[in-house]
Amino acid sequence: MEKLQSHTIHPVFPLLLFLLQFTSLHLLSSAYDLPDKYFINCGSNENVNDISRNFTGDENSGSLSSGSFFFRKPGTAVKDSNQSGNTSTLYYTARIFSEQSSYAFETEDVTTTYLVRLHFFAFSSPTDLSTAVFDVSASGFLLLHNFTAKNSGNLPLIKEFFLTTRTAKFRIYFTPKESSFAFVNAIEVFPAPPVNFSFDGANRVGRDYKIPSSSVLQTIYRINVGGAKIEPAGDTVWRNWDTDESYLRTKDTATTSQFYSDRPLYQSEDSEYAAPDLVYQTAKEMNTNRSRLSNITWSFDVNKTAGHLVRAHFCDIISISLNVLWFNMYINSNFSQEIGSYFYVTQLAAPFTIDYVVGSYDSGVMNISIGPSNTTTEKNAFLNGLEILEIMDGLAFNPKENDQSKISIPIVVGSALGGFALLSILVGGFFLFRRRRQPKPAEHSSWGHLPAHGGGSSHSRVTELTINGSPVPNLILGLKISFAEIQLATKNFNPKVLLGRGGFGNVYKGTLLNGTKVAVKRSSPGSGQGLPEFQTEIMVLSKIRHRHLVSLIGYCDERSEMILVYEFMEKGTLRDHIYSPDLPRLTWKQRLEICIGAASGLHYLHKGSSRGIIHRDVKSTNILLDENHVAKVADFGLSKSSPLEETHVSTNVKGTLGYLDPEYFRSQQLTEKSDVYSFGVVLLEVLCARPVIDNLLPRDQMNLAEWAMKCKHKGLLEEIVDPFIKGQINPNSLRKFSETAEKCLQEDGSLRPAMSDVIWDLEYALQLQQTAVPREPHEDSTAMDSSAFILPDVRRVPSIESTFERDDTAVVSGDFSSSTASEVFSQLNIDNAR
């Protein structure tokens, strides 16, 4: 490990910090700053500084300079009669409620994930706090039910939750049960760091478990594996990390590893918030000195009726190189995954996390194990940290309250502004009604001139940068859509019109005032993309139009929102049609036509403008299909302009695992051929109908590109073709298609074809498919002898390249119905070709 280099964390650019409000997690997650609100010292008029947090006495409600909070039906303040020095002064007071009461916090009216901590300590007082029984709810979610704060260790109880909400006032309700009462010592409410807990990318353990549509995550365990207990002072956002010793089933199966010489080599600024440095500088690894190697197992008591989200933290501090150690991780003995750092990070001592959604089990015990893999000679395994969060599905009724009884200066001002906002909405509604009677084409609508909705700044972040950092031309403002209009189009983001979730956020189906159906992509908290991707998408799509590229209708960046509005693609993603059992399976001819369309869109990006564009995230989820199964390439948030003179762009590696060009990954030099490689992976995905990375398969089959090429070289490619289309494919069409994919996947980017050549080859494969159709299984063997068909010797026509250029250039001038590359075949002499 002596060879590991130190890692320097670059400071965040100050202007970016000024532009981004920390309360909006769906902006750049790297702009997250430590919060200064809300930290409440309950039952007191004194402020308490506790581990660089200033807890404001709740009797000083409305006193925060950065916002205000207040409580309703304040109950009674009580003090600890002993005031033991063993606890923080934060636990010297509490507030008791004999009837339902609430704290309300002024927040941004945007979708935000909050971290909520509730502190309870049953100190000595005339009222025995340990006898309290009560419920706690927040913004429509039940957090604690029939809760009592008894703690045998005479230590404070801290309950921690992650919940996503959109409200101008975040409320926490305390509801006593029957003749009992409720109490609380301290409250923390602040936007969560970009830890990005997400169900979408998590591995599923227990196939029958259905994730609740509305849920809250409650932290149950947070473990520093192999290390000491970490107090809140040692964590960026004041989390507690326990040691793992008490959870180990057999202690002599593991040894402790430590690496304190350097900070972990974080791959992104976001990952620094996942866990403290100390978690990644220690680990448990297998005890190789035992006569017989055994898996390391940790056991945890969990709610047997609930699902859980498990996050495993890894940082390879024990290997001598990145790609020598592979090992297995097991959950409840019925799920295993082979893990290698190579798939997640680019260097040793670089942290990464893997998430699992674990269904409920009757035993109420969750066992997590690591052990050696049979695919490597290195027999070891390691783990740095664990988090287990319960997935809570409990909705709570929030009573309506008359806030006029609560007076504070910030709230009075807010009420006045609210009246003005209401008037603005009414005026805006009048104009919207007028517009409804006079619809305009979507491409030419003047949405940017509508009155702004709400109190957000009228300054547009989109005017600040381009794809290369230069100012954006003002004409883009003509695409701007007001937030009010988007709310109308999506019925206020009704879950019933939710189409899906992606890395950027939720996608909704909407209908504009002129009747145009659109897809509305709204950034969400903890998404993997941020402001630069948002700006890049607008810059790219505002300048290009092509039949095989998704069109941008407009955007909205009011009130810290980042919303993109596209033409609606009726059939969804190509990935959906490859894998979903609920959708009709695509025929081989349809798949070929979709691949040709997508290749045409990419070819236009590369060559159809004065300065080409590299997509950088070509994959099956970014190829959409309209009602006629016409393919259109989408999602340009990671795109880069090609250099004017150089052959490549030097850039940080971005993309999607499995589709990523290995040459780009190694050299960090991006070229158009990187898109070609990714498209080659898509071709194999279309052919084989299996994920590009499948961790449940043996190691040699895990990566689709590697596995398919091995099968092709052994003459076994037909064995891994999607069974649904295996009987449809003409052997010559399959041969040409697989050759095309193989050329795209060349290790040396200079040997890969241009997209124009890929189109030509795919069109050729389509013609071969249509020239002779294989017999169906039930047909007589004498009816057709497709195997007798000989692949024609067709030479490349010199003018083909220019044909594509003319086709794409015509699109720039406004021809939105460009012809496909099938015109090429008018120059070929193939019998029975169209």
Side-chain angles (χ1 to χ4, degrees), residues 113-369:
T113 297
Y114 287 98
L115 193 157
V116 177
R117 289 196 191 104
L118 305 173
H119 297 251
F120 305 97
F121 182 57
F123 54 66
S124 299
S125 70
T127 303
D128 186 357
L129 300 181
S130 66
T131 63
V133 181
F134 55 96
D135 291 349
V136 181
S137 59
S139 292
F141 295 101
L142 182 63
L143 305 183
L144 298 172
H145 180 55
N146 288 338
F147 175 73
T148 182
K150 293 179 182 178
N151 190 341
S152 58
N154 198 31
L155 294 173
L157 284 174
I158 302 175
K159 296 294 184 178
E160 181 183 278
F161 307 88
F162 292 86
L163 62 143
T164 302
T165 185
R166 177 194 176 97
T167 178
K169 284 187 178 66
F170 184 92
R171 299 178 185 271
I172 299 179
Y173 295 88
F174 294 85
T175 307
K177 303 299 287 186
E178 299 175 353
S179 60
S180 188
F181 61 96
F183 82 97
V184 63
N185 299 83
I187 300 173
E188 298 176 65
V189 175
F190 58 89
V195 293
N196 195 28
F197 287 118
S198 173
F199 299 135
D200 295 337
N203 298 277
R204 299 300 177 93
V205 183
R207 297 182 182 275
D208 295 334
Y209 177 69
K210 184 177 181 181
I211 297 172
S213 57
S214 299
S215 57
V216 173
L217 294 175
Q218 179 184 3
T219 304
I220 306 299
Y221 298 100
R222 188 175 279 127
I223 308 297
N224 180 21
V225 177
K229 179 179 176 64
I230 301 175
E231 302 287 350
D235 186 279
T236 51
V237 285
W238 312 287
R239 293 168 292 199
N240 277 298
W241 295 78
D242 294 325
T243 64
D244 68 314
E245 290 296 326
S246 61
Y247 304 102
L248 272 172
R249 177 178 290 180
T250 307
K251 289 183 170 53
D252 68 348
T253 59
T255 60
T256 299
S257 296
Q258 297 180 345
F259 176 67
Y260 287 114
S261 61
D262 280 311
R263 288 196 70 196
L265 303 179
Y266 294 105
Q267 300 290 281
S268 69
E269 294 178 358
D270 293 355
S271 60
E272 294 185 61
Y273 293 100
D277 293 354
L278 289 175
V279 170
Y280 297 122
Q281 291 172 337
T282 61
K284 275 288 196 317
E285 64 174 302
M286 300 189 66
N287 184 1
T288 56
N289 293 324
R290 295 178 90 239
S291 58
R292 182 177 179 273
L293 288 180
S294 298
N295 292 348
I296 308 173
T297 301
W298 295 265
S299 294
F300 302 93
D301 293 329
V302 295
N303 182 349
K304 65 181 181 180
T305 63
H308 293 82
L309 190 147
V310 176
R311 168 164 289 182
H313 294 259
F314 300 97
C315 184
D316 192 347
I317 59 175
I318 68 174
S319 299
I320 58 174
S321 63
L322 186 64
N323 197 25
V324 299
L325 177 59
W326 295 75
F327 59 92
N328 293 325
M329 182 166 182
Y330 307 91
I331 298 180
N332 287 335
S333 300
N334 63 353
F335 173 88
S336 65
Q337 179 184 9
E338 190 175 46
I339 295 171
S341 300
Y342 175 79
F343 275 123
Y344 300 93
V345 291
T346 60
Q347 52 195 328
L348 287 175
F352 63 94
T353 61
I354 304 178
D355 291 346
Y356 305 89
V357 172
V358 183
S360 57
Y361 288 87
D362 292 337
S363 68
V365 175
M366 184 185 298
N367 293 317
I368 297 175
S369 306

Side-chain angles (χ1 to χ4, degrees), residues 588 683-689 717 721-722 725 729 734 737:
W588 177 238
L683 294 181
L684 293 179
E685 197 176 4
V686 166
L687 178 66
C688 302
L717 184 62
V721 171
D722 180 4
I725 59 171
I729 305 179
L734 174 61
F737 186 89

Side-chain angles (χ1 to χ4, degrees), residues 443-636:
E443 296 81 34
H444 306 289
S445 62
S446 56
W447 287 320
H449 301 110
L450 284 175
H453 174 73
S457 170
S458 61
H459 175 64
S460 172
R461 295 188 303 273
V462 178
T463 61
E464 294 160 10
L465 297 171
T466 67
I467 190 172
N468 295 308
S470 304
V472 175
N474 289 333
L475 67 88
I476 287 185
L477 298 179
L479 295 173
K480 196 167 184 180
I481 307 176
S482 73
F483 185 71
E485 189 158 358
I486 292 175
Q487 282 183 304
L488 287 174
T490 60
K491 299 179 181 178
N492 197 24
F493 303 101
N494 192 320
K496 292 183 179 180
V497 296
L498 181 67
L499 296 174
R501 297 177 174 87
F504 185 84
N506 291 346
V507 182
Y508 300 86
K509 182 178 180 180
T511 304
L512 299 178
L513 298 177
N514 62 2
T516 301
K517 292 182 179 179
V518 293
V520 177
K521 185 161 68 172
R522 183 189 192 193
S523 177
S524 61
S527 68
Q529 294 175 283
L531 182 58
E533 289 82 357
F534 178 66
Q535 294 170 326
T536 299
E537 185 98 356
I538 296 169
M539 280 306 305
V540 171
L541 288 177
S542 65
K543 292 184 175 181
I544 57 177
R545 286 291 186 273
H546 190 273
R547 181 171 184 252
H548 294 291
L549 299 178
V550 170
S551 297
L552 179 70
I553 303 298
Y555 71 91
C556 173
D557 66 344
E558 292 177 18
R559 300 189 303 174
S560 300
E561 291 280 357
M562 292 192 295
I563 299 174
L564 297 166
V565 181
Y566 306 92
E567 63 174 315
F568 180 66
M569 301 296 287
E570 187 75 37
K571 300 295 185 182
T573 71
L574 172 59
R575 180 184 177 86
D576 292 339
H577 287 269
I578 295 175
Y579 300 122
S580 176
D582 300 326
L583 295 174
R585 303 301 295 272
L586 296 170
T587 66
W588 177 238
K589 179 175 180 292
Q590 285 177 314
R591 299 186 197 203
L592 284 171
E593 291 172 339
I594 288 168
C595 291
I596 292 168
S600 300
L602 290 172
H603 172 64
Y604 171 69
L605 281 180
H606 293 173
K607 303 296 183 183
S609 59
S610 60
R611 187 169 186 179
I613 296 170
I614 304 171
H615 188 282
R616 207 159 53 142
D617 198 18
V618 177
K619 54 185 177 181
S620 57
T621 52
N622 288 340
I623 298 173
L624 306 183
L625 307 178
D626 70 7
E627 67 276 10
N628 298 316
H629 290 96
V630 173
K632 302 195 179 191
V633 179
D635 201 340
F636 301 88

Side-chain angles (χ1 to χ4, degrees), residues 41-46 58-59 71 74-83 89-98 103 121-130 132 181-186:
N41 181 23
C42 301
S44 176
N45 61 1
E46 296 181 0
D58 63 2
E59 294 181 1
F71 50 81
T76 305
V78 295
K79 292 186 178 181
D80 185 353
S81 57
N82 293 331
Q83 294 192 355
T89 55
L90 194 62
Y91 302 108
Y92 286 2
T93 62
R95 187 163 295 279
I96 294 177
F97 308 102
S98 58
Y103 287 81
F121 182 57
F123 54 66
S124 299
S125 70
T127 303
D128 186 357
L129 300 181
S130 66
F181 61 96
F183 82 97
V184 63
N185 299 83

